[in-house]
Amino acid sequence: MRNGLASVAWLAERLGQANLRVVDATWFLPSSPFASPVAARTAHAAARVPGSTFWDLDEVSDAAAAPSTPHNLPTPAQFAAEARRHGIAPDTRVVCYDQLGVFSAPRLWHTLRAFGVEAAVLDGGLPAWAAAGHAVERAEPAVEPAAAPAADFAYSGELQWRLGDVEAWLASDRTVQLVDARPAGRFRGTAPEPRAGCR
């Protein structure tokens, strides 16, 4: 579990440890190669790393802060409530993965990092876990882990820029580099956005 990445072997050796949680952060991008005919939660119920829980990136988001943009960081209250449901406390280690390999899990990794939780993305996600011959749960999910005690997480708001932050950056001497990680076609405006209403 170094530099935000956990190998399949690392997780296999530690799966089930009391202070480790494994969380499925699968999210499918509509109208793209990363789409799916089933909902992410349904995919989790059908196949998952044993003992893992499902974190809904659509639901656990601060929609009020930026209503036109999905997948914002959650509010501290939202995060604390969801983390508690997954048995995550401030000192819990978390490995997050997705069903596509490494697609949406980094978004949860970033969220956990923003709230001071030690986390890593499973290198290769569920496909790599299964390819290595490890067990994949396919029955209905078992009982959720015991909720963690209510706790305060250390929120680092500077890990997400909002519109005002970008506007301030545009007016500054730009000593900080802003990077757009979308594909080149979307960056240049020559390819359509995969979701209606995004620009």
Side-chain angles (χ1 to χ4, degrees):
M1 191 166 167
R2 295 181 54 195
N3 301 320
L5 202 61
S7 70
V8 165
W10 186 96
L11 179 59
E13 291 174 2
R14 295 164 177 82
L15 192 65
Q17 287 185 351
N19 200 41
L20 179 69
R21 295 288 180 271
V22 183
V23 182
D24 183 346
T26 297
W27 181 81
F28 297 121
L29 181 62
S31 305
S32 81
F34 306 104
S36 172
V38 301
R41 190 182 296 274
T42 302
H44 169 76
R48 61 196 173 279
V49 173
S52 62
T53 53
F54 178 75
W55 187 292
D56 193 320
L57 294 170
D58 284 324
E59 290 182 4
V60 189
S61 170
D62 183 4
S68 62
T69 57
H71 306 142
N72 294 293
L73 286 177
T75 65
Q78 280 180 313
F79 178 84
E82 185 68 5
R84 186 169 187 267
R85 190 179 72 76
H86 291 269
I88 298 170
D91 62 348
T92 303
R93 294 193 298 180
V94 179
V95 173
C96 42
Y97 72 93
D98 60 62
Q99 307 236 351
L100 294 170
V102 178
F103 177 64
S104 54
R107 187 174 293 276
L108 178 57
W109 169 82
H110 176 73
T111 299
L112 293 163
R113 180 171 170 258
F115 286 91
V117 177
E118 182 183 358
V121 172
L122 180 62
D123 193 5
L126 185 65
W129 176 265
H134 297 297
V136 174
E137 282 185 341
R138 298 186 185 277
E140 281 298 310
V143 178
E144 296 286 329
D152 292 325
F153 291 85
Y155 174 57
S156 300
E158 70 273 8
L159 290 179
Q160 182 181 36
W161 279 15
R162 300 197 184 276
L163 178 61
D165 299 306
V166 176
E167 290 173 337
W169 175 81
L170 288 169
S172 73
D173 58 8
R174 302 188 190 183
T175 55
V176 174
Q177 181 64 55
L178 178 62
V179 177
D180 189 324
R182 294 175 299 167
R186 290 173 62 197
F187 173 77
R188 296 189 185 103
T190 58
E193 289 291 332
R195 288 172 292 177
C198 285
R199 57 186 178 89

